[in-house]
Amino acid sequence: MALAPDVSSSTDPQPIEDTGRPVDAGGLQYFMFGLFLIFGGITSLNDVLIPKLKELFTLNYTQAMLVQFCFFAAYAIIGIPGSKLIKRIGYMRGATFGLVTMMAGCLLFIPASQGATFGLFLLALFVLASGVVIVQVVANPLISLLGPQKTAHSRLTFAQAFNSLGTTVFPLVGAAVLLGSLAEVDPATLSGEALRAYRQAEGEAIWHGYLALAVMIGIVALAVWLFRDRLKGERHEASSGLAGLDLLKRKRFGFGALCIFLYVGAEVSIGSVIINYLALDRVLGQPESAVGWMIGIYWGGAMVGRFIGSWALRMFSPGKILAVNATGAILLIALSLFSQGSLAGYSLLAVGLMNSIMFPTIFSLACEKLGPRAADGSGIINVAICGGAIIPLATGALADITGGLSYALILPAVCYAIIGGFGVFARNPA
Protein backbone atom coordinates (compact mmCIF):
# COMPACT_ATOMS: atom_id res chain seq x y z
CA MET A 1 0.00 0.00 0.00
CA ALA A 2 1.31 3.42 -0.85
CA LEU A 3 2.25 5.38 2.22
CA ALA A 4 0.30 8.59 2.63
CA PRO A 5 1.62 11.21 5.06
CA ASP A 6 -0.27 10.87 8.34
CA VAL A 7 -0.85 14.34 9.70
CA SER A 8 -3.29 15.97 12.05
CA SER A 9 -5.93 17.00 9.57
CA SER A 10 -6.43 18.90 6.39
CA THR A 11 -9.98 19.88 7.31
CA ASP A 12 -8.55 22.76 9.29
CA PRO A 13 -8.06 25.77 6.99
CA GLN A 14 -4.71 26.30 8.71
CA PRO A 15 -3.49 22.80 9.61
CA ILE A 16 -0.20 22.14 11.31
CA GLU A 17 2.70 21.37 9.05
CA ASP A 18 2.85 17.77 7.96
CA THR A 19 5.93 15.73 8.65
CA GLY A 20 5.45 13.04 6.00
CA ARG A 21 7.11 13.32 2.62
CA PRO A 22 5.16 13.12 -0.63
CA VAL A 23 6.08 10.61 -3.30
CA ASP A 24 8.91 11.92 -5.49
CA ALA A 25 7.77 12.13 -9.12
CA GLY A 26 8.64 15.52 -10.54
CA GLY A 27 6.00 16.81 -12.96
CA LEU A 28 3.90 13.63 -12.83
CA GLN A 29 0.90 15.32 -11.23
CA TYR A 30 0.40 17.38 -14.40
CA PHE A 31 0.28 14.14 -16.38
CA MET A 32 -2.31 12.82 -13.92
CA PHE A 33 -4.58 15.76 -14.72
CA GLY A 34 -4.88 14.29 -18.24
CA LEU A 35 -6.11 10.98 -16.82
CA PHE A 36 -8.79 12.81 -14.83
CA LEU A 37 -9.90 14.55 -18.03
CA ILE A 38 -10.17 11.28 -19.98
CA PHE A 39 -12.12 9.14 -17.52
CA GLY A 40 -14.37 12.08 -16.64
CA GLY A 41 -15.21 12.68 -20.27
CA ILE A 42 -15.93 9.03 -21.01
CA THR A 43 -18.24 8.74 -18.00
CA SER A 44 -20.30 11.77 -19.04
CA LEU A 45 -20.77 10.42 -22.58
CA ASN A 46 -23.37 8.09 -21.06
CA ASP A 47 -25.67 11.11 -20.63
CA VAL A 48 -25.70 11.53 -24.41
CA LEU A 49 -25.79 7.80 -25.12
CA ILE A 50 -28.91 7.26 -22.98
CA PRO A 51 -31.38 9.33 -25.06
CA LYS A 52 -29.82 7.88 -28.22
CA LEU A 53 -30.32 4.25 -27.13
CA LYS A 54 -33.69 5.09 -25.56
CA GLU A 55 -34.88 6.24 -29.00
CA LEU A 56 -33.20 3.47 -31.02
CA PHE A 57 -34.55 0.62 -28.89
CA THR A 58 -37.79 2.35 -27.74
CA LEU A 59 -36.89 1.95 -24.05
CA ASN A 60 -38.72 3.26 -21.00
CA TYR A 61 -36.75 5.22 -18.37
CA THR A 62 -35.98 2.16 -16.26
CA GLN A 63 -34.59 0.26 -19.24
CA ALA A 64 -32.60 3.28 -20.41
CA MET A 65 -31.00 3.56 -16.97
CA LEU A 66 -29.51 0.10 -17.47
CA VAL A 67 -26.78 2.03 -19.33
CA GLN A 68 -25.72 3.63 -16.05
CA PHE A 69 -26.38 0.44 -14.10
CA CYS A 70 -23.97 -1.62 -16.22
CA PHE A 71 -21.38 1.15 -16.28
CA PHE A 72 -21.34 1.89 -12.56
CA ALA A 73 -21.81 -1.72 -11.48
CA ALA A 74 -18.19 -2.13 -12.55
CA TYR A 75 -17.20 -0.02 -9.54
CA ALA A 76 -18.76 -2.55 -7.17
CA ILE A 77 -17.22 -5.53 -8.95
CA ILE A 78 -13.80 -4.14 -9.91
CA GLY A 79 -13.10 -1.63 -7.11
CA ILE A 80 -11.46 -3.92 -4.54
CA PRO A 81 -9.74 -6.26 -7.06
CA GLY A 82 -8.50 -3.12 -8.81
CA SER A 83 -6.89 -1.79 -5.64
CA LYS A 84 -5.17 -5.15 -5.09
CA LEU A 85 -3.90 -5.13 -8.66
CA ILE A 86 -2.41 -1.67 -8.09
CA LYS A 87 -0.63 -2.88 -4.97
CA ARG A 88 0.81 -5.81 -6.90
CA ILE A 89 2.06 -4.04 -10.05
CA GLY A 90 2.28 -0.37 -8.98
CA TYR A 91 0.47 2.80 -9.86
CA MET A 92 1.77 3.45 -13.38
CA ARG A 93 1.59 -0.14 -14.63
CA GLY A 94 -1.89 -0.32 -13.12
CA ALA A 95 -2.91 2.83 -14.97
CA THR A 96 -1.62 1.30 -18.23
CA PHE A 97 -3.64 -1.87 -17.63
CA GLY A 98 -6.75 0.23 -16.95
CA LEU A 99 -6.29 2.29 -20.11
CA VAL A 100 -5.87 -0.82 -22.27
CA THR A 101 -9.09 -2.21 -20.75
CA MET A 102 -10.85 1.06 -21.58
CA MET A 103 -9.62 0.78 -25.16
CA ALA A 104 -11.02 -2.75 -25.39
CA GLY A 105 -14.40 -1.51 -24.14
CA CYS A 106 -14.47 1.23 -26.79
CA LEU A 107 -13.72 -1.32 -29.52
CA LEU A 108 -16.64 -3.49 -28.36
CA PHE A 109 -18.98 -0.73 -29.51
CA ILE A 110 -18.22 -1.79 -33.09
CA PRO A 111 -19.92 -5.23 -32.92
CA ALA A 112 -22.62 -3.77 -30.63
CA SER A 113 -23.52 -1.12 -33.20
CA GLN A 114 -23.23 -3.37 -36.24
CA GLY A 115 -25.31 -6.08 -34.55
CA ALA A 116 -27.85 -3.50 -33.32
CA THR A 117 -28.04 -5.38 -30.00
CA PHE A 118 -28.78 -3.49 -26.78
CA GLY A 119 -27.18 -6.23 -24.65
CA LEU A 120 -23.85 -5.85 -26.46
CA PHE A 121 -23.91 -2.11 -25.78
CA LEU A 122 -24.31 -2.88 -22.09
CA LEU A 123 -21.39 -5.34 -22.19
CA ALA A 124 -19.18 -2.77 -23.94
CA LEU A 125 -20.06 -0.20 -21.28
CA PHE A 126 -19.18 -2.63 -18.48
CA VAL A 127 -15.75 -3.41 -19.97
CA LEU A 128 -15.09 0.28 -20.59
CA ALA A 129 -16.11 1.12 -17.03
CA SER A 130 -13.87 -1.62 -15.62
CA GLY A 131 -10.87 0.15 -17.12
CA VAL A 132 -12.12 3.51 -15.82
CA VAL A 133 -12.36 2.05 -12.30
CA ILE A 134 -8.75 0.84 -12.36
CA VAL A 135 -7.49 4.20 -13.62
CA GLN A 136 -9.52 6.00 -10.97
CA VAL A 137 -8.17 3.74 -8.19
CA VAL A 138 -4.74 4.95 -9.29
CA ALA A 139 -5.57 8.61 -9.82
CA ASN A 140 -7.36 9.60 -6.60
CA PRO A 141 -4.75 8.51 -4.02
CA LEU A 142 -1.80 9.29 -6.28
CA ILE A 143 -2.76 12.92 -6.80
CA SER A 144 -3.00 13.22 -3.00
CA LEU A 145 0.47 11.73 -2.56
CA LEU A 146 2.13 14.00 -5.13
CA GLY A 147 2.39 16.98 -2.80
CA PRO A 148 2.00 18.16 0.81
CA GLN A 149 -0.82 16.53 2.77
CA LYS A 150 -2.07 19.87 4.09
CA THR A 151 -3.13 20.86 0.55
CA ALA A 152 -4.51 17.44 -0.45
CA HIS A 153 -8.14 18.68 -0.50
CA SER A 154 -7.24 21.59 -2.73
CA ARG A 155 -5.03 19.51 -5.04
CA LEU A 156 -7.61 16.76 -5.51
CA THR A 157 -10.33 19.33 -6.15
CA PHE A 158 -8.10 21.02 -8.75
CA ALA A 159 -7.51 17.64 -10.42
CA GLN A 160 -11.26 17.03 -10.38
CA ALA A 161 -11.63 20.31 -12.30
CA PHE A 162 -9.86 18.60 -15.20
CA ASN A 163 -12.27 15.71 -14.75
CA SER A 164 -15.05 18.28 -15.17
CA LEU A 165 -13.36 19.72 -18.24
CA GLY A 166 -13.69 16.27 -19.79
CA THR A 167 -17.32 15.95 -18.66
CA THR A 168 -18.03 19.32 -20.28
CA VAL A 169 -16.26 18.90 -23.62
CA PHE A 170 -16.96 15.22 -24.38
CA PRO A 171 -20.80 15.50 -24.16
CA LEU A 172 -20.78 18.60 -26.37
CA VAL A 173 -18.97 16.68 -29.08
CA GLY A 174 -21.02 13.55 -28.38
CA ALA A 175 -24.32 15.43 -28.63
CA ALA A 176 -23.35 16.82 -32.02
CA VAL A 177 -22.29 13.39 -33.30
CA LEU A 178 -24.90 11.12 -31.70
CA LEU A 179 -28.05 13.25 -31.39
CA GLY A 180 -27.94 15.16 -34.67
CA SER A 181 -30.31 12.74 -36.43
CA LEU A 182 -32.42 11.90 -33.39
CA ALA A 183 -36.19 11.95 -33.99
CA GLU A 184 -35.89 12.22 -37.79
CA VAL A 185 -37.44 8.75 -37.91
CA ASP A 186 -39.71 7.19 -35.28
CA PRO A 187 -38.39 3.64 -34.73
CA ALA A 188 -41.74 2.68 -33.18
CA THR A 189 -43.17 2.78 -36.70
CA LEU A 190 -40.58 0.32 -38.03
CA SER A 191 -40.32 -3.44 -37.68
CA GLY A 192 -38.34 -6.42 -38.87
CA GLU A 193 -35.48 -5.82 -41.27
CA ALA A 194 -36.32 -2.13 -41.64
CA LEU A 195 -35.93 -1.60 -37.89
CA ARG A 196 -32.67 -3.54 -37.80
CA ALA A 197 -31.27 -1.56 -40.75
CA TYR A 198 -32.27 1.72 -39.08
CA ARG A 199 -30.55 0.75 -35.84
CA GLN A 200 -27.39 -0.28 -37.67
CA ALA A 201 -27.30 2.98 -39.60
CA GLU A 202 -27.82 5.08 -36.48
CA GLY A 203 -25.32 2.95 -34.56
CA GLU A 204 -22.60 3.81 -37.07
CA ALA A 205 -22.16 7.24 -35.49
CA ILE A 206 -21.78 5.57 -32.11
CA TRP A 207 -19.00 3.17 -33.04
CA HIS A 208 -17.18 5.81 -35.10
CA GLY A 209 -17.05 8.01 -32.02
CA TYR A 210 -15.86 5.27 -29.69
CA LEU A 211 -13.29 4.07 -32.23
CA ALA A 212 -11.76 7.55 -32.18
CA LEU A 213 -11.72 7.34 -28.37
CA ALA A 214 -9.98 3.96 -28.52
CA VAL A 215 -7.18 5.44 -30.65
CA MET A 216 -6.75 8.37 -28.25
CA ILE A 217 -6.71 6.10 -25.20
CA GLY A 218 -4.16 3.81 -26.87
CA ILE A 219 -1.79 6.76 -27.34
CA VAL A 220 -2.19 7.76 -23.69
CA ALA A 221 -1.64 4.14 -22.56
CA LEU A 222 1.66 4.06 -24.47
CA ALA A 223 2.75 7.32 -22.85
CA VAL A 224 1.87 6.04 -19.35
CA TRP A 225 3.81 2.84 -20.02
CA LEU A 226 6.88 4.90 -20.92
CA PHE A 227 6.53 6.64 -17.53
CA ARG A 228 6.09 3.34 -15.64
CA ASP A 229 9.34 3.75 -13.63
CA ARG A 230 8.93 7.46 -12.94
CA LEU A 231 7.64 7.12 -9.38
CA LYS A 232 10.29 7.18 -6.65
CA GLY A 233 9.46 6.06 -3.14
CA GLU A 234 6.33 4.10 -4.03
CA ARG A 235 5.67 1.45 -1.39
CA HIS A 236 2.84 -0.99 -0.85
CA GLU A 237 1.41 -2.78 2.16
CA ALA A 238 0.17 -6.31 1.56
CA SER A 239 -3.41 -7.29 2.41
CA SER A 240 -5.59 -10.28 1.67
CA GLY A 241 -9.23 -10.99 0.91
CA LEU A 242 -11.62 -8.15 1.72
CA ALA A 243 -9.41 -6.71 4.44
CA GLY A 244 -10.23 -3.14 3.40
CA LEU A 245 -13.86 -3.60 4.45
CA ASP A 246 -12.89 -3.21 8.09
CA LEU A 247 -12.36 0.48 7.35
CA LEU A 248 -16.15 0.81 7.23
CA LYS A 249 -16.13 0.39 11.02
CA ARG A 250 -14.62 3.85 11.27
CA LYS A 251 -17.63 6.17 11.54
CA ARG A 252 -16.04 8.92 9.50
CA PHE A 253 -14.96 6.63 6.69
CA GLY A 254 -18.18 4.60 6.69
CA PHE A 255 -20.37 7.71 6.57
CA GLY A 256 -18.15 9.15 3.85
CA ALA A 257 -18.36 5.98 1.74
CA LEU A 258 -22.17 6.12 2.01
CA CYS A 259 -22.12 9.73 0.86
CA ILE A 260 -19.94 8.86 -2.14
CA PHE A 261 -22.62 6.27 -3.03
CA LEU A 262 -25.36 8.90 -2.69
CA TYR A 263 -23.47 11.72 -4.37
CA VAL A 264 -22.53 9.77 -7.49
CA GLY A 265 -26.06 8.40 -7.67
CA ALA A 266 -27.61 11.87 -7.43
CA GLU A 267 -25.19 13.47 -9.91
CA VAL A 268 -25.56 10.67 -12.45
CA SER A 269 -29.36 10.56 -12.05
CA ILE A 270 -29.73 14.24 -12.88
CA GLY A 271 -27.21 14.06 -15.72
CA SER A 272 -28.94 11.00 -17.17
CA VAL A 273 -32.41 12.54 -17.38
CA ILE A 274 -31.59 16.19 -17.90
CA ILE A 275 -31.81 16.12 -21.71
CA ASN A 276 -35.24 14.46 -21.54
CA TYR A 277 -36.24 16.86 -18.72
CA LEU A 278 -35.28 19.95 -20.71
CA ALA A 279 -37.31 18.63 -23.66
CA LEU A 280 -40.52 18.52 -21.57
CA ASP A 281 -43.28 20.92 -22.62
CA ARG A 282 -43.28 22.38 -19.07
CA VAL A 283 -39.59 23.23 -19.34
CA LEU A 284 -38.09 24.17 -22.74
CA GLY A 285 -40.40 22.15 -24.99
CA GLN A 286 -37.76 21.45 -27.63
CA PRO A 287 -36.60 18.11 -29.08
CA GLU A 288 -33.63 16.30 -27.53
CA SER A 289 -31.48 17.02 -30.57
CA ALA A 290 -31.97 20.77 -29.97
CA VAL A 291 -31.24 20.80 -26.23
CA GLY A 292 -28.63 18.03 -26.08
CA TRP A 293 -25.75 20.51 -26.05
CA MET A 294 -27.05 21.98 -22.78
CA ILE A 295 -25.72 18.98 -20.85
CA GLY A 296 -22.41 20.83 -21.19
CA ILE A 297 -23.81 23.58 -18.93
CA TYR A 298 -24.49 21.03 -16.19
CA TRP A 299 -20.98 19.58 -16.30
CA GLY A 300 -19.42 22.97 -17.05
CA GLY A 301 -20.84 24.29 -13.80
CA ALA A 302 -19.02 21.53 -11.94
CA MET A 303 -15.79 22.47 -13.74
CA VAL A 304 -16.04 26.16 -12.83
CA GLY A 305 -17.01 25.30 -9.26
CA ARG A 306 -14.00 23.03 -8.83
CA PHE A 307 -11.53 25.69 -9.90
CA ILE A 308 -13.18 28.07 -7.43
CA GLY A 309 -13.40 25.34 -4.81
CA SER A 310 -9.70 24.52 -5.02
CA TRP A 311 -9.10 28.04 -3.69
CA ALA A 312 -12.00 28.11 -1.20
CA LEU A 313 -10.96 24.83 0.40
CA ARG A 314 -7.64 26.42 1.36
CA MET A 315 -9.50 29.15 3.24
CA PHE A 316 -12.55 27.52 4.82
CA SER A 317 -13.56 24.26 6.47
CA PRO A 318 -14.21 21.63 3.75
CA GLY A 319 -17.01 20.11 5.82
CA LYS A 320 -18.88 23.40 6.04
CA ILE A 321 -18.45 24.08 2.32
CA LEU A 322 -19.81 20.59 1.58
CA ALA A 323 -22.90 21.26 3.74
CA VAL A 324 -23.53 24.61 2.01
CA ASN A 325 -23.24 23.10 -1.47
CA ALA A 326 -25.57 20.22 -0.61
CA THR A 327 -28.16 22.69 0.69
CA GLY A 328 -27.79 24.71 -2.50
CA ALA A 329 -28.41 21.61 -4.63
CA ILE A 330 -31.65 20.86 -2.76
CA LEU A 331 -32.91 24.43 -3.18
CA LEU A 332 -32.14 24.41 -6.92
CA ILE A 333 -33.99 21.12 -7.45
CA ALA A 334 -36.99 22.51 -5.55
CA LEU A 335 -36.92 25.70 -7.63
CA SER A 336 -36.87 23.68 -10.83
CA LEU A 337 -39.77 21.47 -9.76
CA PHE A 338 -41.97 24.40 -8.73
CA SER A 339 -41.28 26.60 -11.76
CA GLN A 340 -41.46 26.26 -15.51
CA GLY A 341 -39.79 27.42 -18.70
CA SER A 342 -36.20 28.61 -18.70
CA LEU A 343 -36.15 29.05 -14.92
CA ALA A 344 -37.01 25.38 -14.41
CA GLY A 345 -34.39 24.29 -16.93
CA TYR A 346 -31.49 26.47 -15.86
CA SER A 347 -32.05 25.96 -12.13
CA LEU A 348 -31.65 22.20 -12.59
CA LEU A 349 -28.60 22.73 -14.79
CA ALA A 350 -27.12 24.89 -12.01
CA VAL A 351 -27.04 21.86 -9.69
CA GLY A 352 -23.82 21.03 -11.52
CA LEU A 353 -22.19 24.03 -9.83
CA MET A 354 -23.22 22.69 -6.42
CA ASN A 355 -21.83 19.26 -7.30
CA SER A 356 -18.41 20.75 -8.00
CA ILE A 357 -16.50 20.10 -4.77
CA MET A 358 -18.57 17.20 -3.45
CA PHE A 359 -16.70 14.11 -4.68
CA PRO A 360 -13.14 15.23 -3.86
CA THR A 361 -14.22 16.75 -0.55
CA ILE A 362 -16.17 13.68 0.58
CA PHE A 363 -13.29 11.45 -0.58
CA SER A 364 -10.58 13.34 1.27
CA LEU A 365 -12.70 13.90 4.41
CA ALA A 366 -13.53 10.20 4.58
CA CYS A 367 -9.94 9.08 3.96
CA GLU A 368 -8.22 11.37 6.44
CA LYS A 369 -5.74 9.60 8.72
CA LEU A 370 -5.80 6.34 6.73
CA GLY A 371 -2.04 6.62 6.29
CA PRO A 372 -0.62 3.43 4.72
CA ARG A 373 -4.15 2.16 4.06
CA ALA A 374 -4.92 4.92 1.57
CA ALA A 375 -5.22 2.57 -1.42
CA ASP A 376 -7.52 0.21 0.53
CA GLY A 377 -9.69 3.23 1.29
CA SER A 378 -9.61 4.27 -2.36
CA GLY A 379 -10.73 0.77 -3.36
CA ILE A 380 -13.71 0.88 -0.99
CA ILE A 381 -14.61 4.39 -2.14
CA ASN A 382 -14.54 3.20 -5.72
CA VAL A 383 -16.94 0.39 -4.80
CA ALA A 384 -19.23 3.05 -3.32
CA ILE A 385 -19.32 4.77 -6.71
CA CYS A 386 -21.73 1.99 -7.71
CA GLY A 387 -24.35 4.40 -6.40
CA GLY A 388 -24.27 5.55 -10.01
CA ALA A 389 -25.77 2.18 -10.90
CA ILE A 390 -28.46 1.90 -8.21
CA ILE A 391 -29.87 5.39 -7.72
CA PRO A 392 -30.33 6.27 -11.42
CA LEU A 393 -32.14 2.96 -11.91
CA ALA A 394 -34.41 3.82 -8.97
CA THR A 395 -34.90 7.32 -10.40
CA GLY A 396 -35.90 5.85 -13.75
CA ALA A 397 -38.31 3.46 -12.05
CA LEU A 398 -39.88 6.38 -10.14
CA ALA A 399 -40.27 8.29 -13.40
CA ASP A 400 -42.07 5.33 -14.99
CA ILE A 401 -44.28 4.75 -11.93
CA THR A 402 -45.27 8.40 -11.49
CA GLY A 403 -45.53 9.07 -15.21
CA GLY A 404 -42.92 11.85 -15.32
CA LEU A 405 -39.50 13.07 -14.27
CA SER A 406 -40.56 15.72 -11.75
CA TYR A 407 -41.38 13.44 -8.82
CA ALA A 408 -38.37 11.25 -9.62
CA LEU A 409 -36.00 14.17 -8.92
CA ILE A 410 -37.03 14.10 -5.26
CA LEU A 411 -34.73 11.07 -4.82
CA PRO A 412 -31.52 13.00 -5.69
CA ALA A 413 -32.68 15.77 -3.33
CA VAL A 414 -32.87 13.25 -0.46
CA CYS A 415 -29.32 12.13 -1.31
CA TYR A 416 -28.05 15.70 -1.07
CA ALA A 417 -29.73 16.11 2.33
CA ILE A 418 -27.74 13.18 3.76
CA ILE A 419 -24.53 14.54 2.18
CA GLY A 420 -25.17 17.86 3.92
CA GLY A 421 -25.37 15.95 7.19
CA PHE A 422 -21.96 14.42 6.54
CA GLY A 423 -20.51 17.88 5.95
CA VAL A 424 -21.71 18.97 9.38
CA PHE A 425 -20.45 15.69 10.94
CA ALA A 426 -16.98 15.99 9.37
CA ARG A 427 -16.49 19.73 9.84
CA ASN A 428 -13.91 19.09 12.57
CA PRO A 429 -10.51 17.39 12.10
CA ALA A 430 -10.40 13.59 12.05
Side-chain angles (χ1 to χ4, degrees):
M1 182 69 67
L3 289 175
D6 191 10
V7 297
S8 60
S9 176
S10 57
T11 58
D12 187 344
Q14 295 180 321
I16 64 172
E17 292 297 316
D18 52 285
T19 58
R21 293 188 301 172
V23 171
D24 179 18
L28 186 59
Q29 65 177 338
Y30 303 107
F31 191 79
M32 297 303 297
F33 294 154
L35 293 183
F36 275 86
L37 185 146
I38 290 171
F39 68 69
I42 287 177
T43 301
S44 66
L45 276 179
N46 291 348
D47 298 337
V48 178
L49 193 62
I50 285 173
K52 180 70 171 183
L53 296 181
K54 185 176 186 293
E55 186 260 356
L56 284 181
F57 294 96
T58 57
L59 309 173
N60 60 28
Y61 284 110
T62 306
Q63 293 168 330
M65 287 301 180
L66 288 174
V67 168
Q68 301 290 24
F69 180 84
C70 289
F71 190 92
F72 285 95
Y75 284 88
I77 297 171
I78 305 298
I80 293 177
S83 67
K84 295 186 182 301
L85 174 68
I86 301 309
K87 289 193 290 184
R88 179 179 295 273
I89 65 177
Y91 282 120
M92 300 306 289
R93 288 171 174 81
T96 303
F97 182 87
L99 288 165
V100 171
T101 304
M102 289 166 62
M103 185 170 62
C106 288
L107 293 176
L108 279 175
F109 277 87
I110 298 176
S113 298
Q114 293 179 340
T117 306
F118 184 54
L120 283 178
F121 278 110
L122 298 181
L123 175 62
L125 284 163
F126 178 81
V127 174
L128 175 59
S130 297
V132 170
V133 172
I134 294 171
V135 173
Q136 199 161 337
V137 169
V138 170
N140 286 319
L142 186 54
I143 201 70
S144 296
L145 291 173
L146 295 174
Q149 178 67 14
K150 67 178 181 179
T151 58
H153 290 290
S154 174
R155 194 165 53 256
L156 184 55
T157 298
F158 187 75
Q160 287 285 339
F162 285 86
N163 179 284
S164 291
L165 178 60
T167 62
T168 302
V169 173
F170 278 49
L172 290 175
V173 177
V177 173
L178 301 184
L179 300 183
S181 61
L182 201 63
E184 288 183 0
V185 177
D186 184 1
T189 64
L190 303 176
S191 62
E193 189 59 33
L195 178 59
R196 182 178 179 83
Y198 170 74
R199 287 172 174 171
Q200 287 178 334
E202 288 295 304
E204 187 172 328
I206 298 176
W207 74 258
H208 281 176
Y210 279 91
L211 178 60
L213 275 177
V215 173
M216 182 181 71
I217 293 169
I219 294 172
V220 175
L222 177 60
V224 173
W225 178 252
L226 294 176
F227 279 84
R228 64 189 181 278
D229 296 320
R230 185 71 176 271
L231 286 177
K232 306 297 181 184
E234 179 183 0
R235 291 180 288 172
H236 299 274
E237 178 183 277
S239 63
S240 59
L242 302 178
L245 290 176
D246 69 304
L247 291 174
L248 294 174
K249 296 178 182 178
R250 304 187 185 191
K251 291 182 179 180
R252 189 184 187 94
F253 182 82
F255 197 176
L258 171 64
C259 286
I260 288 289
F261 179 93
L262 297 174
Y263 161 71
V264 176
E267 180 189 50
V268 171
S269 294
I270 293 174
S272 298
V273 303
I274 203 162
I275 294 178
N276 294 111
Y277 182 82
L278 293 172
L280 294 176
D281 291 336
R282 180 181 69 82
V283 188
L284 299 183
Q286 300 182 45
E288 287 87 349
S289 57
V291 299
W293 66 271
M294 298 183 74
I295 187 68
I297 299 176
Y298 178 70
W299 294 111
M303 177 182 66
V304 172
R306 280 169 176 166
F307 281 115
I308 297 172
S310 67
W311 167 82
L313 288 167
R314 294 173 181 262
M315 308 297 295
F316 306 102
S317 165
K320 293 177 181 178
I321 292 177
L322 178 64
V324 169
N325 278 39
T327 302
I330 296 170
L331 293 176
L332 286 168
I333 292 173
L335 177 60
S336 181
L337 296 183
F338 290 101
S339 61
Q340 58 184 350
S342 296
L343 180 60
Y346 283 102
S347 57
L348 189 63
L349 288 167
V351 174
L353 181 63
M354 299 296 104
N355 286 337
S356 57
I357 56 89
M358 288 192 188
F359 183 91
T361 303
I362 297 170
F363 178 90
S364 50
L365 286 172
C367 292
E368 277 189 346
K369 293 290 188 115
L370 293 189
R373 304 201 64 189
D376 276 336
S378 180
I380 298 297
I381 290 294
N382 274 276
V383 171
I385 291 175
C386 73
I390 305 301
I391 294 176
L393 194 65
T395 302
L398 278 175
D400 289 328
I401 292 171
T402 60
L405 293 173
S406 297
Y407 289 108
L409 289 173
I410 295 174
L411 181 56
V414 172
C415 295
Y416 287 124
I418 298 172
I419 291 168
F422 176 69
V424 175
F425 172 82
R427 68 189 184 278
N428 296 318

